[in-house]
Amino acid sequence: MQLLLQSSLVEHYGASWKKVRIRSPEKVVEEIARTRSFGPLQVVGFRESIFVYDARWLRVFGELYRREIGLPYYCHLRADMMTEEMVDLLAWSGCHTVNVGIETANERLANEVLHRQIKQARLVAGIRMLKAAGIVVFADNILGIPGGTLEDDYATLQLNIDLDVDYAAATLCTPYPGTGIAKYAIEHGHFHGDFDLIDDSYYTESVLTFPDAKTKRMTENLHKWFAVTAALPQLFPLVKKLIELPPNDFFYAVFRSWYLVCHMTDVMPRRPDLAQLKESLLSVFGVYRGLDPNWHSPPRPEWLPTVDANTLATAERALTDVRMLVRREREGAVLDAGVHPAMEVR
Amino acid sequence: MFAKKSVVARRRLARRLKAAASIGLAVAAGTFVACKQKADEIMKALDDARGDVGEPEAAAPPASGPATDAGDAAMTTTKPSSSAMVVAKDAGPAPAFDAKEHKKGMPVPDNLLE
């Protein structure tokens, strides 16, 4: 298992950190059941990078999960680690969607630049098994990888088409500080090293250096068309022409629109309420409720604590009395003693 | 455990139809965003040409009047339950057109699968 872990992770956390920590299926199911007791639950999401390592754990988890929870769930995993037994168990236990990383079709880039330590043939076989089991596949891809070309990105798109993934998510390669890719990009002249220029979104533009402005523009535009072209491959020849155009509002709208439609209908077995649906739809048209990702809907007025005027007045009187009592006691301690305690010592 | 081939094929067809529909939606959205940005630019240029920078908006008076001391402040913020309702309604930023934000992120709340 250690071989699968990226060397950059080991660099970050040191060689002594525990590589894999797995919670028992009983604990996991118990926590979900407790969470469900707080309110309605439609779908369960497991956000750890690799949800399942071995079939034995998954079998026990599946039995418990089916019996106690019985809701669809989604998880992240490495498709190259999948065996037929594991895929069967995933589907049987209620797995609706898996998030897998394809990243790039170029095995050299995957292993030498991204350090994925992966065999492309096993990745492809794993995704085919997941698809054959009827599990929705959400694939992550990276465009504009240092050392790669536009042809590599086309090949990645073609691989997503061939594998018939349900949503082909793409991001623009971004050299975040402290990552192996940043080190590689700086060392090989693909990045100037000014991390302050990195945008807060990896969906907009790339900060990496490209051979020319046209290639950069085409890569960024391809990113906007990537997912929808994977879903509708007939677009591919047209997209190759379209991405030569300057970036524009239509391209961004295409990206957002397909993301919304695909997630609402295929990827997430969760039905949004009307307010969420309206908000999502408006955002495709550039209308936002705000930029703060930590902002959440306010609680309903009836949930807010309310105090009637009489209770409040009583509480305030009681508080004032306590404050006066404390003040008198402090003053009295000095007056009763007659002299300051420090004077007595002397 | 394999899914039926007919089910997989039907799902693929549905995905293609939905992708085509989403492009229709994107054309409408892209047109709106482009027109809105252009309209905003024209309005700004007109305002600049007129030299009309606009009056600063007067601050709205507090709903329960200015507090005179700490005691009053405590009373005005905690006494009536209706003031809590006002706070709840004003808690989030109002929806607004933002072309810059349009180029970031995803339209699904909570980044469900990110």
Side-chain angles (χ1 to χ4, degrees):
Chain A
M1 196 57 63
Q2 192 173 345
L3 288 173
L4 288 170
L5 294 160
Q6 290 194 3
S7 55
S8 57
L9 285 176
V10 178
E11 277 175 32
H12 271 294
Y13 298 109
S16 61
W17 62 288
K18 196 176 178 185
K19 305 297 187 294
V20 181
R21 290 174 294 178
I22 301 173
R23 295 177 66 198
S24 71
E26 291 82 7
K27 290 272 184 198
V28 174
V29 172
E30 184 190 324
E31 186 179 333
I32 299 165
R34 196 168 58 246
T35 304
R36 189 165 61 170
S37 70
F38 297 141
L41 195 62
Q42 296 180 41
V43 61
V44 178
F46 297 101
R47 302 292 294 262
E48 58 189 309
S49 304
I50 302 174
F51 174 64
V52 56
Y53 287 92
D54 72 282
R56 276 173 307 171
W57 184 94
L58 190 54
R59 187 177 295 280
V60 178
F61 167 81
E63 279 170 9
L64 283 169
Y65 187 86
R66 277 167 63 95
R67 194 172 64 226
E68 304 289 331
I69 311 295
L71 290 171
Y73 70 88
Y74 83 89
C75 60
H76 297 222
L77 46 83
R78 271 183 75 123
D80 61 314
M81 288 169 63
M82 290 295 105
T83 62
E84 205 167 306
E85 184 188 9
M86 286 162 89
V87 172
D88 282 351
L89 287 169
L90 277 170
W92 165 77
S93 61
C95 179
H96 181 276
T97 302
V98 292
N99 184 320
V100 299
I102 291 178
E103 315 304 2
T104 174
N106 185 322
E107 197 161 354
R108 183 191 65 80
L109 288 177
N111 290 314
E112 291 178 19
V113 181
L114 300 178
H115 298 295
R116 296 200 73 211
Q117 301 177 31
I118 200 166
K119 284 192 169 62
Q120 209 69 6
R122 289 192 64 172
L123 175 80
V124 167
I127 293 177
R128 287 199 197 285
M129 279 194 287
L130 290 162
K131 284 292 299 181
I135 296 173
V136 173
V137 173
F138 177 106
D140 284 325
N141 300 275
I142 304 176
L143 304 186
I145 297 172
T149 62
L150 195 57
E151 291 303 319
D152 289 321
D153 294 338
Y154 287 153
T156 305
L157 177 52
Q158 189 59 52
L159 179 61
N160 281 265
I161 292 169
D162 295 344
L163 291 173
D164 192 30
V165 301
D166 293 85
Y167 186 79
T171 55
L172 291 162
C173 189
T174 306
Y176 292 110
T179 57
I181 193 74
K183 192 177 167 192
Y184 178 92
I186 293 169
E187 282 174 2
H188 292 80
H190 300 290
F191 181 49
H192 41 61
D194 187 353
F195 295 108
D196 289 339
L197 292 180
I198 295 176
D199 195 77
D200 58 352
S201 167
Y202 44 49
Y203 296 119
T204 314
E205 292 174 358
S206 174
V207 289
L208 295 173
T209 308
F210 286 78
D212 53 71
K214 187 182 175 189
T215 309
K216 182 177 189 293
R217 186 176 71 236
M218 288 176 76
T219 306
E220 289 167 353
N221 286 341
L222 178 64
H223 163 260
K224 311 299 174 285
W225 282 92
F226 194 91
V228 78
T229 309
L232 197 56
Q234 291 82 354
L235 286 173
F236 202 176
L238 176 65
V239 166
K240 284 184 180 175
K241 300 282 180 200
L242 280 174
I243 60 174
E244 292 183 25
L245 296 170
N248 58 69
D249 299 315
F250 290 95
F251 291 179
Y252 284 102
V254 163
F255 168 67
R256 301 177 70 86
S257 174
W258 175 233
Y259 192 101
L260 174 69
V261 172
C262 187
H263 276 66
M264 293 288 182
T265 59
D266 283 352
V267 174
M268 283 303 291
R270 165 184 174 274
R271 293 287 158 257
D273 60 34
L274 201 60
Q276 288 172 327
L277 191 63
K278 185 181 160 195
E279 184 184 303
S280 298
L281 196 60
L282 282 174
S283 79
V284 176
F285 286 78
V287 179
Y288 297 87
R289 61 165 161 71
L291 306 182
D292 182 7
N294 295 317
W295 187 86
H296 293 283
S297 300
R300 291 180 193 163
E302 62 266 27
W303 291 355
L304 293 171
T306 53
V307 182
D308 65 69
N310 287 337
T311 313
L312 188 72
T314 311
E316 281 181 346
R317 272 201 302 275
L319 191 63
T320 310
D321 290 347
V322 169
R323 280 180 183 152
M324 284 181 69
L325 196 64
V326 169
R327 197 182 302 153
R328 278 182 194 154
E329 279 185 357
R330 279 181 187 162
E331 289 168 354
V334 177
L335 291 172
D336 290 346
V339 290
H340 194 276
M343 296 293 284
E344 271 188 342
V345 173
R346 206 178 285 172
Chain B
M1 183 185 288
F2 291 101
K4 283 183 184 170
K5 283 190 175 174
S6 61
V7 174
V8 175
R10 203 165 56 235
R11 219 168 73 187
R12 186 185 304 125
L13 178 64
R15 190 165 66 243
R16 291 193 177 158
L17 291 173
K18 283 184 277 190
S22 79
I23 291 175
L25 175 65
V27 169
T31 306
F32 173 79
V33 173
C35 291
K36 177 81 175 131
Q37 280 188 98
K38 200 70 192 171
D40 287 350
E41 278 173 27
I42 291 169
M43 290 302 289
K44 190 173 181 300
L46 283 172
D47 285 347
D48 289 348
R50 282 202 301 261
D52 177 16
V53 290
E55 292 292 322
E57 283 185 20
S64 45
T68 51
D69 58 31
D72 279 356
M75 293 294 282
T76 52
T77 52
T78 55
K79 198 166 54 178
S81 60
S82 59
S83 68
M85 292 174 72
V86 172
V87 169
K89 279 178 188 168
D90 293 344
F97 179 78
D98 188 334
K100 196 178 170 196
E101 184 62 17
H102 187 57
K103 294 175 170 55
K104 297 178 181 179
M106 296 156 297
V108 178
D110 303 329
N111 289 351
L112 285 174
L113 285 174
E114 266 293 288

